[in-house]
Amino acid sequence: MKRTTGLDRSVNRKWRPATRAVRAGTWRSEQGETSEALFLTSGYAYDDAQTVADRFAGEASGMQYSRFQNPTVAMLEERIAAMEGAEACKVQASGMAAMTSALLCMLSSGDHLVAGRAAFGSCRWILANVLSRFGITHTVVDGRDNAAWEAAIQPSTKAFFFETPANPTLDVVDLEYVCGLARAHGIKTVVDNAFATSALQRPLEFGADIVAYSATKLMDGQGRVLAGAVCGSDEWINGTLSPFQRNTGPICSPFNAWVVLKGLETLDLRAHRQSENALEVGRAIEGRVARMLHPGLPSFPQHNLAMKQMDAAGPIFSFVVDGGRERAFAVLDALELIDISNNIGDSKSLACHPASTTHHNMGPEGRAEMGVEEGMIRLNVGLEDPRDLIEDLDQALGRAGL
Ligand SMILES: *Cc1c(COP(=O)(O)O)cnc(C)c1O
């Protein structure tokens, strides 16, 4: 196969991000296909015994087994790395496989981690229930509070882990400050960039070491497959993460990789259009709800910081209605166009009640600490005409008595 753009990073660097999203990591077979080929194969055959011996000895490049490498998966890895501006990327079966692999590869017994408080429920679960079993301790801080990050540093602190904007309160972490603080203390920063993607925010430019993804969300963008990705230095990805994945197996199926690869070609378009739609919808309903949590709106306390580090605010925002869970359910149940769903990043608009779904496991105290209120609704704004979305929310809020 011919790597038409693949490993030649000088070509990738010359291209602007939207071009990389369409072209980077395209390998062509001898058939000259324009669309990336889907290699549904677990194994590979070799011309002679020495060829395979050389590959197993690490003395020749080439495929060996799809737990190690697969051409479709490799194309996705090259494309994501190029889009992120990272030296290397490995993809995984899901966002949680990506987060777990990244943290297990970074931390050892006796190490300490500082994590942002507002986070995807399972990310908090890994810290409390997996890492803790291996003698890795952690401190949770309010990610918005720069001083709290510094105060939480211990001599054994090896990593900072956070998402920004965070789920579901949209808390924003100051990337430049927190990554700089970590650097100054020899601490590695792992950023979960699922809400923004490289189309809207590139944490490596602010000094992050590792960017990890649920590719299930905006990268696929059409709610089809689960996938994850971890980006970082060539040395860490290929020297540390890759051997871990080869031997433990949280790998991405070639089919799922292919779906995400095609999804990335429209990521820039979708991320920006969905951000615009989310702004329009947010502005239209802001006066109707008790509290709006939308980084793109001037009313958001961290609006300026969000706009400093993001190209656009993204498709997701939350709002709080008076009347708690009962009123929030009444609004959701009255929606006619927008689906009730806990997924995000989809081109279909989706609404969910975080307190009873994505953040149910945290319990009432955990939710109170994180600011996940009973009247909170999280909205993923899709690619529908925003006027239809506004009309739907307008009638649903009206029927719920708002
Ligand atoms: C969805 C999500 C995850 C988990 O990803 P999966 O692909 O569902 O495993 C992790 N972090 C954030 C911020 C997410 O939104």
Side-chain angles (χ1 to χ4, degrees):
M1 272 174 92
K2 193 161 151 247
R3 300 180 176 196
T4 56
T5 60
L7 295 175
D8 184 358
R9 296 213 182 86
S10 58
V11 172
N12 284 337
R13 257 201 295 273
K14 193 184 84 175
W15 289 338
R16 290 162 186 86
T19 307
R20 296 179 197 180
V22 181
R23 292 283 185 166
T26 300
W27 304 5
R28 281 196 176 126
S29 79
E30 63 280 11
Q31 306 304 332
E33 67 279 356
T34 48
S35 173
E36 294 73 8
L38 171 51
F39 288 87
L40 279 180
T41 182
S42 46
Y44 304 87
Y46 313 94
D47 289 341
D48 52 65
Q50 191 58 47
T51 301
V52 58
D54 290 346
R55 289 184 193 177
F56 271 82
E59 283 158 13
S61 61
M63 304 291 148
Q64 295 151 269
Y65 185 55
S66 284
R67 178 152 43 75
F68 302 174
Q69 328 90 347
N70 173 280
T72 308
V73 171
M75 285 192 254
L76 176 62
E77 291 172 339
E78 283 189 21
R79 183 166 297 175
I80 294 175
M83 291 169 69
E84 204 63 45
E87 287 175 9
C89 168
K90 290 299 283 180
V91 296
Q92 296 80 20
S94 68
M96 287 324 302
M99 304 302 155
T100 309
S101 303
L103 293 173
L104 286 176
C105 284
M106 181 148 284
L107 299 163
S108 301
S109 178
D111 288 346
H112 173 253
L113 169 87
V114 185
R117 186 171 70 191
F120 191 71
S122 296
C123 291
R124 293 279 302 266
W125 191 92
I126 305 175
L127 309 186
N129 298 285
V130 180
L131 298 185
S132 61
R133 288 175 41 226
F134 299 95
I136 298 159
T137 55
H138 70 277
T139 305
V140 172
V141 298
D142 179 343
R144 298 168 296 184
D145 182 355
N146 285 351
W149 287 98
E150 183 158 22
I153 296 173
Q154 301 177 7
S156 59
T157 305
K158 290 281 158 35
F160 283 177
F161 177 46
F162 60 85
E163 53 185 78
T164 182
N167 186 18
T169 51
L170 286 303
D171 285 2
V172 175
V173 175
D174 185 335
L175 282 168
E176 193 169 0
Y177 176 83
V178 174
C179 296
L181 175 70
R183 281 269 153 108
H185 288 81
I187 295 166
K188 298 285 184 209
T189 310
V190 182
V191 181
D192 177 344
N193 201 33
F195 265 44
T197 76
S198 63
L200 303 179
Q201 171 175 277
R202 291 160 299 281
L204 297 180
E205 292 174 2
F206 296 92
D209 297 288
I210 309 291
V211 182
Y213 280 107
S214 168
T216 314
K217 312 295 169 54
L218 260 179
M219 285 189 179
D220 169 13
Q222 287 150 84
R224 300 165 294 192
V225 299
L226 278 96
V230 180
C231 303
S233 71
D234 194 24
E235 187 189 355
W236 189 78
I237 294 284
N238 292 316
T240 303
L241 184 73
S242 182
F244 175 88
Q245 280 190 214
R246 286 169 73 119
N247 293 295
T248 60
I251 52 135
C252 184
S253 93
F255 179 77
N256 289 6
W258 181 81
V259 171
V260 176
L261 196 53
K262 302 312 287 178
L264 290 179
E265 295 180 10
T266 55
L267 175 66
D268 193 70
L269 266 179
R270 288 183 287 103
H272 283 94
R273 175 64 79 88
Q274 288 181 241
S275 296
E276 283 167 26
N277 288 357
L279 260 185
E280 209 168 317
V281 173
R283 277 196 204 104
I285 65 164
E286 187 167 23
R288 296 277 296 276
V289 299
R291 212 147 63 81
M292 177 61 89
L293 300 168
H294 191 320
L297 292 174
S299 59
F300 190 72
Q302 296 179 290
H303 171 68
N304 290 340
L305 174 62
M307 294 300 97
K308 185 186 126 199
Q309 58 194 34
M310 300 179 77
D311 297 344
I316 302 146
F317 69 87
S318 296
F319 58 90
V320 179
V321 293
D322 283 333
R325 180 175 297 210
E326 202 180 328
R327 184 68 69 79
F329 277 20
V331 174
L332 290 174
D333 291 344
L335 292 168
E336 291 170 351
L337 167 62
I338 300 168
D339 291 308
I340 301 173
S341 172
N342 46 288
N343 200 13
I344 52 167
D346 200 304
S347 56
K348 292 187 168 62
S349 291
L350 310 172
C352 89
H353 180 249
S356 61
T357 60
T358 51
H359 293 69
H360 167 74
N361 271 346
M362 312 205 66
E365 301 82 40
R367 286 195 293 277
E369 176 206 275
M370 209 194 264
V372 181
E373 296 172 47
E374 285 293 323
M376 181 182 283
I377 292 174
R378 187 192 69 194
L379 196 61
N380 168 73
V381 179
L383 290 173
E384 302 95 338
D385 188 316
R387 291 170 296 188
D388 291 325
L389 299 172
I390 292 165
E391 281 170 19
D392 193 31
L393 282 161
D394 180 50
Q395 65 81 25
L397 290 166
R399 276 164 64 192
L402 292 166

